[in-house]
């Protein structure tokens, strides 16, 4: 069972209230403004800023490559 | 109808979600899985509802989440999320109680107002009364909570009333009296007692056992909570939801011995700060407005909880 579209439609970033984008592998929701990935664990979106994974390291890594 | 239940993974929230789904409504469940007790216990509570296509679960906390996006098309909110526990509410821990029970409730109310929600039901507690002199406790009795937890739940009630009077947001606060039954929280007395007996350990009884409680079975609580949300003519306000009888802890232990068919000799410990001496609910207002009539007597309800704890005794999550 994938995460429901209805649920995706009502979710926003807890930090900036901006839109979220589902990752290609459907295991996270990305806020591009905050550079955070909110994990989806067992099809439950975890909308807690403390639990989000920062994407800044990945971006820095890409920049330096 | 589209509904939302905060604290949906908890003891009462999970039972309520099952009821709302069984009536054919959609439920958005919200829970932040606080570490008051393990997340696995709560996920286990949701085993049935997670299979239902009308149920969506969102792990977030009501203080920081943008609830206006979540409640956008919601008709009814059952606001059950709270930091639980009377004894744990003293000291530094009070921060959690003020955050989740007061600020969190205000956030839920504000989002409900903005979204034009048609009804909000708030899970309050008999602990708002404190040690009163008159029994049964009536909704008109002046509340004097004796624990920070009770203070935080009373503040939540007041916020509900403020939003009702200032913004015409229909709110109903239900003062639950000591809820028990399957999925009861592991820190609650019945659960601890039964678990100790099943493990051949000695349970601890706080106080001399003369303290009395109006114990209320989970199915009766769910019935009242469901009706408070769904009945079109339910008058906004505050209602006691009790089990209909009052019994001392000593008598509960006697009953438990009969049900479990073994002697129970608890260790006596001092009464804890924040514990009230007695509770007893006048449920006439809930009877008149919600048609509430508790159906489960203590012996039957306690047997159900014993059976539940036996059934999970080998399941692993409770550490047996």
């Amino acid at each position: 069972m994938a995460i429901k579209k209805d649920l995706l439609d009502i979710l926003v970033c807890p930090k900036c209230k901006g839109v979220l984008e589902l990752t290609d592998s459907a295991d996270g929701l990305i806020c591009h403004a905050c550079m955070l990935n909110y994990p989806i664990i067992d099809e439950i979106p975890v909308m807690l800023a403390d639990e989000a994974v920062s994407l800044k390291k990945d971006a820095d890594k890409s920049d330096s490559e | 109808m589209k509904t939302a239940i905060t604290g949906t993974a908890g003891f009462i929230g999970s039972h309520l979600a099952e009821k709302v789904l069984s009536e054919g409504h959609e439920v958005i469940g919200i829970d932040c899985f606080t570490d008051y007790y393990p997340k696995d216990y709560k996920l286990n509570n949701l085993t049935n509802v997670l299979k239902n296509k009308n149920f969506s679960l969102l792990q977030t906390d009501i203080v920081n989440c943008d609830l206006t996006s979540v409640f956008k098309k919601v008709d009814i909110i059952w606001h059950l999320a709270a930091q639980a526990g009377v004894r744990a509410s003293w000291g530094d821990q009070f921060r959690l109680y003020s955050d989740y029970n007061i600020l969190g409730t205000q956030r839920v109310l504000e989002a409900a107002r903005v979204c034009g929600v048609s009804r909000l039901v708030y899970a309050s507690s008999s602990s708002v009364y404190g040690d009163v002199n008159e029994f049964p406790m009536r909704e008109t009795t002046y509340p004097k909570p004796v624990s920070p937890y009770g203070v935080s739940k009373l503040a939540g009630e007041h916020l509900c009333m403020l939003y009702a009077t200032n913004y015409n947001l229909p709110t109903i606060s239900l003062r639950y009296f000591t809820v028990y039954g399957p999925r009861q929280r592991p820190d609650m007395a019945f659960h601890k007692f039964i678990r100790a007996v099943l493990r051949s350990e000695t349970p601890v009884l706080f106080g001399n056992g003369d303290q009395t409680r109006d114990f209320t079975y989970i199915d009766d609580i769910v019935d009242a909570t469901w009706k408070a949300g769904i009945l079109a003519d339910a008058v906004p306000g505050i209602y006691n939801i009790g089990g209909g009888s009052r019994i001392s802890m000593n008598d509960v232990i006697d009953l438990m011995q009969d049900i479990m068919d073994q002697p129970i000799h608890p260790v006596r410990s001092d009464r804890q700060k924040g514990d009230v001496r007695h509770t007893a609910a006048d449920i006439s207002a809930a009877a008149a407005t919600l048609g509430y009539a508790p159906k489960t007597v203590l012996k039957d309800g306690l047997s159900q909880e014993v059976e539940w704890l036996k059934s999970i005794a080998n399941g692993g999550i409770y550490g047996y």
Side-chain angles (χ1 to χ4, degrees), chain B residues 114-142:
Chain B
V114 169
C115 295
V117 166
S118 62
R119 177 80 56 84
L120 184 142
V121 180
Y122 169 67
S124 187
S125 161
S126 60
S127 64
V128 302
Y129 285 109
D131 281 322
V132 301
N133 297 318
E134 260 182 65
F135 292 96
M137 294 155 154
R138 294 185 175 84
E139 291 86 347
T140 50
T141 302
Y142 186 74

Short mmCIF file of all heavy atoms in Angstrom, two decimals, chain B residues 114-142:
data_model
loop_
_atom_site.label_atom_id
_atom_site.label_comp_id
_atom_site.label_asym_id
_atom_site.label_seq_id
_atom_site.Cartn_x
_atom_site.Cartn_y
_atom_site.Cartn_z
N VAL B 114 -10.21 28.31 11.71
CA VAL B 114 -9.85 28.79 10.38
C VAL B 114 -10.49 27.91 9.30
O VAL B 114 -10.95 28.41 8.27
CB VAL B 114 -8.30 28.81 10.22
CG1 VAL B 114 -7.89 29.05 8.78
CG2 VAL B 114 -7.69 29.87 11.14
N CYS B 115 -10.54 26.62 9.55
CA CYS B 115 -11.05 25.67 8.55
C CYS B 115 -12.58 25.53 8.60
O CYS B 115 -13.15 24.83 7.77
CB CYS B 115 -10.41 24.31 8.75
SG CYS B 115 -8.64 24.31 8.43
N GLY B 116 -13.23 26.16 9.56
CA GLY B 116 -14.68 26.07 9.63
C GLY B 116 -15.20 24.69 9.99
O GLY B 116 -16.23 24.23 9.47
N VAL B 117 -14.49 24.02 10.86
CA VAL B 117 -14.89 22.68 11.30
C VAL B 117 -16.24 22.76 12.02
O VAL B 117 -16.51 23.72 12.75
CB VAL B 117 -13.79 22.10 12.23
CG1 VAL B 117 -14.27 20.88 12.98
CG2 VAL B 117 -12.53 21.79 11.42
N SER B 118 -17.08 21.76 11.79
CA SER B 118 -18.44 21.86 12.34
C SER B 118 -18.55 21.42 13.80
O SER B 118 -19.50 21.78 14.49
CB SER B 118 -19.44 21.09 11.47
OG SER B 118 -19.09 19.73 11.47
N ARG B 119 -17.61 20.63 14.29
CA ARG B 119 -17.67 20.19 15.70
C ARG B 119 -16.28 19.77 16.16
O ARG B 119 -15.54 19.12 15.41
CB ARG B 119 -18.63 18.99 15.81
CG ARG B 119 -18.77 18.36 17.19
CD ARG B 119 -19.70 19.14 18.09
NE ARG B 119 -21.02 19.34 17.53
CZ ARG B 119 -22.04 18.46 17.60
NH1 ARG B 119 -21.87 17.31 18.22
NH2 ARG B 119 -23.21 18.75 17.07
N LEU B 120 -15.93 20.14 17.37
CA LEU B 120 -14.67 19.68 17.96
C LEU B 120 -14.96 19.07 19.32
O LEU B 120 -15.59 19.71 20.17
CB LEU B 120 -13.66 20.83 18.10
CG LEU B 120 -12.28 20.41 18.62
CD1 LEU B 120 -11.16 21.19 17.91
CD2 LEU B 120 -12.15 20.59 20.13
N VAL B 121 -14.54 17.83 19.49
CA VAL B 121 -14.72 17.15 20.78
C VAL B 121 -13.36 17.07 21.46
O VAL B 121 -12.38 16.61 20.86
CB VAL B 121 -15.30 15.73 20.58
CG1 VAL B 121 -15.49 15.04 21.92
CG2 VAL B 121 -16.61 15.79 19.81
N TYR B 122 -13.32 17.54 22.68
CA TYR B 122 -12.06 17.60 23.44
C TYR B 122 -12.09 16.57 24.57
O TYR B 122 -13.04 16.52 25.36
CB TYR B 122 -11.89 19.01 24.01
CG TYR B 122 -10.78 19.17 25.03
CD1 TYR B 122 -9.45 19.04 24.67
CD2 TYR B 122 -11.07 19.48 26.36
CE1 TYR B 122 -8.44 19.21 25.60
CE2 TYR B 122 -10.07 19.66 27.30
CZ TYR B 122 -8.75 19.52 26.91
OH TYR B 122 -7.74 19.68 27.83
N ALA B 123 -11.03 15.77 24.63
CA ALA B 123 -10.93 14.76 25.69
C ALA B 123 -10.37 15.40 26.95
O ALA B 123 -9.18 15.68 27.05
CB ALA B 123 -10.03 13.63 25.23
N SER B 124 -11.27 15.67 27.90
CA SER B 124 -10.82 16.22 29.17
C SER B 124 -10.76 15.08 30.19
O SER B 124 -10.76 13.90 29.83
CB SER B 124 -11.74 17.35 29.62
OG SER B 124 -11.20 17.97 30.78
N SER B 125 -10.72 15.43 31.44
CA SER B 125 -10.43 14.41 32.45
C SER B 125 -11.10 14.76 33.78
O SER B 125 -11.25 15.93 34.13
CB SER B 125 -8.91 14.36 32.64
OG SER B 125 -8.57 13.74 33.85
N SER B 126 -11.43 13.71 34.54
CA SER B 126 -11.97 13.94 35.88
C SER B 126 -10.94 14.60 36.79
O SER B 126 -11.29 15.14 37.84
CB SER B 126 -12.40 12.61 36.50
OG SER B 126 -11.30 11.74 36.61
N SER B 127 -9.68 14.58 36.36
CA SER B 127 -8.63 15.18 37.20
C SER B 127 -8.77 16.70 37.30
O SER B 127 -8.11 17.31 38.12
CB SER B 127 -7.24 14.80 36.70
OG SER B 127 -7.06 15.32 35.42
N VAL B 128 -9.63 17.29 36.49
CA VAL B 128 -9.83 18.75 36.62
C VAL B 128 -10.52 19.07 37.95
O VAL B 128 -10.40 20.18 38.46
CB VAL B 128 -10.66 19.36 35.45
CG1 VAL B 128 -9.98 19.09 34.12
CG2 VAL B 128 -12.10 18.90 35.45
N TYR B 129 -11.26 18.11 38.54
CA TYR B 129 -12.01 18.39 39.76
C TYR B 129 -11.12 18.53 40.99
O TYR B 129 -11.39 19.35 41.86
CB TYR B 129 -13.04 17.28 40.02
CG TYR B 129 -14.24 17.35 39.12
CD1 TYR B 129 -14.44 16.40 38.12
CD2 TYR B 129 -15.16 18.38 39.26
CE1 TYR B 129 -15.54 16.47 37.28
CE2 TYR B 129 -16.27 18.45 38.42
CZ TYR B 129 -16.45 17.49 37.44
OH TYR B 129 -17.54 17.57 36.60
N GLY B 130 -10.10 17.68 41.09
CA GLY B 130 -9.29 17.66 42.31
C GLY B 130 -10.07 17.03 43.45
O GLY B 130 -10.98 16.21 43.23
N ASP B 131 -9.70 17.37 44.68
CA ASP B 131 -10.37 16.80 45.85
C ASP B 131 -11.58 17.66 46.22
O ASP B 131 -11.44 18.71 46.84
CB ASP B 131 -9.41 16.71 47.04
CG ASP B 131 -8.48 15.52 46.90
OD1 ASP B 131 -8.95 14.46 46.43
OD2 ASP B 131 -7.30 15.65 47.25
N VAL B 132 -12.74 17.19 45.83
CA VAL B 132 -13.96 17.95 46.13
C VAL B 132 -14.64 17.36 47.36
O VAL B 132 -14.32 16.26 47.81
CB VAL B 132 -14.94 17.94 44.93
CG1 VAL B 132 -14.29 18.53 43.69
CG2 VAL B 132 -15.43 16.53 44.64
N ASN B 133 -15.59 18.09 47.91
CA ASN B 133 -16.28 17.62 49.11
C ASN B 133 -17.65 17.01 48.81
O ASN B 133 -18.23 16.35 49.65
CB ASN B 133 -16.47 18.78 50.09
CG ASN B 133 -15.13 19.32 50.56
OD1 ASN B 133 -14.22 18.53 50.83
ND2 ASN B 133 -14.99 20.63 50.62
N GLU B 134 -18.14 17.28 47.63
CA GLU B 134 -19.49 16.82 47.29
C GLU B 134 -19.45 15.75 46.22
O GLU B 134 -18.77 15.91 45.20
CB GLU B 134 -20.30 18.00 46.74
CG GLU B 134 -21.23 18.62 47.74
CD GLU B 134 -22.03 19.74 47.09
OE1 GLU B 134 -22.83 19.44 46.19
OE2 GLU B 134 -21.82 20.91 47.48
N PHE B 135 -20.19 14.68 46.43
CA PHE B 135 -20.28 13.63 45.43
C PHE B 135 -21.74 13.35 45.11
O PHE B 135 -22.57 13.44 46.01
CB PHE B 135 -19.59 12.36 45.94
CG PHE B 135 -18.11 12.52 46.07
CD1 PHE B 135 -17.54 12.86 47.29
CD2 PHE B 135 -17.28 12.37 44.97
CE1 PHE B 135 -16.17 13.04 47.40
CE2 PHE B 135 -15.91 12.53 45.08
CZ PHE B 135 -15.36 12.87 46.30
N PRO B 136 -22.06 12.99 43.87
CA PRO B 136 -21.14 12.88 42.75
C PRO B 136 -20.66 14.24 42.24
O PRO B 136 -21.27 15.27 42.53
CB PRO B 136 -21.99 12.18 41.69
CG PRO B 136 -23.38 12.60 41.99
CD PRO B 136 -23.46 12.72 43.48
N MET B 137 -19.57 14.21 41.49
CA MET B 137 -19.03 15.45 40.93
C MET B 137 -19.93 15.90 39.78
O MET B 137 -20.28 15.11 38.90
CB MET B 137 -17.63 15.18 40.38
CG MET B 137 -16.63 14.82 41.48
SD MET B 137 -15.28 13.83 40.81
CE MET B 137 -13.97 14.22 41.96
N ARG B 138 -20.29 17.16 39.85
CA ARG B 138 -21.13 17.72 38.79
C ARG B 138 -20.31 18.70 37.95
O ARG B 138 -19.36 19.29 38.46
CB ARG B 138 -22.34 18.46 39.39
CG ARG B 138 -23.27 17.53 40.12
CD ARG B 138 -24.51 18.24 40.62
NE ARG B 138 -25.43 17.25 41.21
CZ ARG B 138 -25.34 16.82 42.45
NH1 ARG B 138 -24.41 17.31 43.27
NH2 ARG B 138 -26.17 15.90 42.91
N GLU B 139 -20.73 18.89 36.72
CA GLU B 139 -20.01 19.79 35.83
C GLU B 139 -19.99 21.21 36.39
O GLU B 139 -19.12 22.02 36.04
CB GLU B 139 -20.64 19.80 34.42
CG GLU B 139 -20.46 18.50 33.65
CD GLU B 139 -21.54 17.46 33.95
OE1 GLU B 139 -22.29 17.63 34.94
OE2 GLU B 139 -21.62 16.47 33.20
N THR B 140 -20.95 21.51 37.25
CA THR B 140 -21.01 22.85 37.84
C THR B 140 -20.14 22.98 39.09
O THR B 140 -19.95 24.09 39.62
CB THR B 140 -22.47 23.18 38.24
OG1 THR B 140 -22.98 22.08 38.99
CG2 THR B 140 -23.32 23.42 37.02
N THR B 141 -19.59 21.87 39.58
CA THR B 141 -18.70 21.92 40.75
C THR B 141 -17.46 22.74 40.40
O THR B 141 -16.90 22.59 39.30
CB THR B 141 -18.26 20.49 41.14
OG1 THR B 141 -19.42 19.72 41.41
CG2 THR B 141 -17.34 20.49 42.35
N TYR B 142 -17.04 23.60 41.32
CA TYR B 142 -15.87 24.43 41.05
C TYR B 142 -14.62 23.55 40.98
O TYR B 142 -14.29 22.87 41.95
CB TYR B 142 -15.70 25.49 42.14
CG TYR B 142 -14.61 26.48 41.84
CD1 TYR B 142 -14.79 27.47 40.88
CD2 TYR B 142 -13.38 26.41 42.51
CE1 TYR B 142 -13.78 28.38 40.60
CE2 TYR B 142 -12.37 27.31 42.23
CZ TYR B 142 -12.57 28.29 41.27
OH TYR B 142 -11.57 29.17 40.98
#
